[in-house]
């Protein structure tokens, strides 16, 4: 169904009442709408606010859905550079410690997946969904050891980038083949596991997966970077509304045309 935006007049329609699951080409429409309404030179912003609670200073991250921090597609959008700027402004404000680093999740989508997405796709890398703050494409790499021979249970040796102590439970077994036949399942912050088969004889076989709780991973990573720059951070959290704060720093993304 093609309609004219100015008055809603339908210009062409074919079987318009039939409901179908949209394919990935749907991104063309949302991209076109963003470019038309916002302009190709528009930039997404992430605001960092400084507030005060009884426990001490609170740094709040107000995200704007910027997909570029530490993305493999945007090598210049370094998260370390963001941490440099935030740390410099904290020091200028006389702050050398934070009791809390908080991500404001009030703008986060309530339902991260559409109801037609296949269950076995939700935790795979192509199932990664946009969040109010994004980090490393909201994806992780799982590295498996398959040196035990065909049929053996494969352990997850590492998760890169780190998402804390949380690791997926592995039901993956090795086989005499050369392709990745695994599926990653992710639901919420507690259910994360991998099934299927991957090639035998590999010391570090990589499987790409959706990052669990990317907002919290963003906060943890930023906290670690700030700590290295002399700003101690007590804890991190994702909260809907993090209290009153004043703008400390605003990070801008590349243009929509570049994105």
């Amino acid at each position: 169904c093609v309609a004219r935006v100015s008055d809603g007049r339908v210009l062409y329609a074919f079987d318009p009442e039939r409901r179908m699951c949209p394919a990935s080409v749907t991104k063309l429409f949302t991209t076109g709408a963003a470019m038309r309404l916002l302009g190709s030179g528009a930039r997404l912003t992430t605001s960092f606010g400084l507030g005060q609670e009884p426990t001490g200073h609170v740094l709040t991250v107000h995200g704007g859905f910027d997909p570029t921090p530490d993305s493999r597609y945007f090598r210049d959008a370094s998260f370390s550079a963001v941490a440099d700027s935030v740390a410099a402004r904290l020091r200028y404000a006389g702050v050398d410690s934070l009791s809390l680093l908080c991500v404001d999740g009030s703008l986060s989508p309530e339902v991260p997946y559409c109801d037609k997405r296949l269950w076995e796709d939700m935790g795979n890398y192509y199932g990664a969904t946009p969040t109010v703050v994004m980090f490393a494409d909201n994806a992780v790499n799982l590295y498996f050891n398959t040196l035990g021979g065909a049929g053996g249970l494969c352990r997850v040796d590492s998760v890169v980038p780190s998402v804390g102590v949380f690791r997926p439970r592995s039901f993956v077994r090795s086989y005499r083949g050369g392709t990745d036949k695994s599926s990653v399942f992710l639901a919420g912050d507690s259910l994360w596991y991998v099934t299927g088969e991957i090639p035998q004889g590999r010391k570090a076989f990589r499987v790409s997966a959706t990052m669990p709780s990317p907002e919290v991973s963003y906060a943890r990573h930023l906290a670690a970077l700030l700590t290295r720059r002399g700003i101690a951070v007590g804890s991190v959290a994702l909260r809907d509304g993090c209290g009153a704060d004043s703008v400390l720093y605003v990070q801008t993304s590349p243009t929509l045309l570049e994105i």
Side-chain angles (χ1 to χ4, degrees), residues 44 171 174 221:
L44 305 172
F171 299 98
S174 57
H221 190 56

Side-chain angles (χ1 to χ4, degrees), residues 2-204:
V2 181
R4 191 161 57 194
V5 174
S6 59
D7 59 6
R9 178 187 174 190
V10 175
L11 304 178
Y12 175 79
F14 176 80
D15 209 1
E17 300 303 319
R18 183 181 178 192
R19 295 187 65 189
M20 301 179 70
C21 184
S24 60
V25 72
T26 305
K27 68 173 71 74
L28 293 175
F29 304 128
T30 53
T31 300
M35 298 286 279
R36 175 73 179 272
L37 296 173
L38 302 177
S40 61
R43 298 176 186 269
L44 305 172
T45 61
T46 303
S47 174
F48 298 83
L50 183 62
Q52 183 76 36
E53 293 186 358
T55 55
H57 294 291
V58 176
L59 181 69
T60 302
V61 185
H62 302 281
F65 297 91
D66 179 2
T68 63
D70 271 8
S71 167
R72 64 193 177 100
Y73 304 104
F74 294 90
R75 297 300 184 185
D76 293 334
S78 166
F79 211 178
S80 293
V82 175
D84 285 338
S85 298
V86 173
R89 281 157 177 79
L90 285 170
R91 285 193 293 268
Y92 183 79
V95 175
D96 60 6
S97 67
L98 301 168
S99 63
L100 176 67
L101 197 164
C102 170
V103 173
D104 181 2
S106 59
L107 292 178
S108 296
E110 293 185 7
V111 181
Y113 300 106
C114 72
D115 60 1
K116 297 298 184 182
R117 183 178 288 282
L118 298 176
W119 166 248
E120 61 267 27
D121 288 350
M122 289 185 180
N124 292 327
Y125 73 98
Y126 46 80
T129 55
T131 47
V132 67
V133 292
M134 295 183 64
F135 162 55
D137 303 311
N138 281 5
V140 294
N141 291 314
L142 312 177
Y143 289 92
F144 291 83
N145 185 309
T146 65
L147 295 177
L153 193 64
C154 307
R155 71 173 188 264
V156 179
D157 278 349
S158 61
V159 180
V160 181
S162 173
V163 291
V165 297
F166 190 34
R167 287 193 181 185
R169 186 174 179 184
S170 176
F171 299 98
V172 176
R173 295 190 177 273
S174 57
Y175 81 111
R176 295 184 179 90
T179 59
D180 179 5
K181 296 166 61 177
S182 66
S183 293
V184 185
F185 295 78
L186 175 64
D189 299 333
S190 58
L191 181 62
W192 193 22
Y193 64 94
V194 195
T195 64
E197 297 177 311
I198 55 178
Q200 66 170 342
R202 309 290 183 89
K203 184 176 181 181

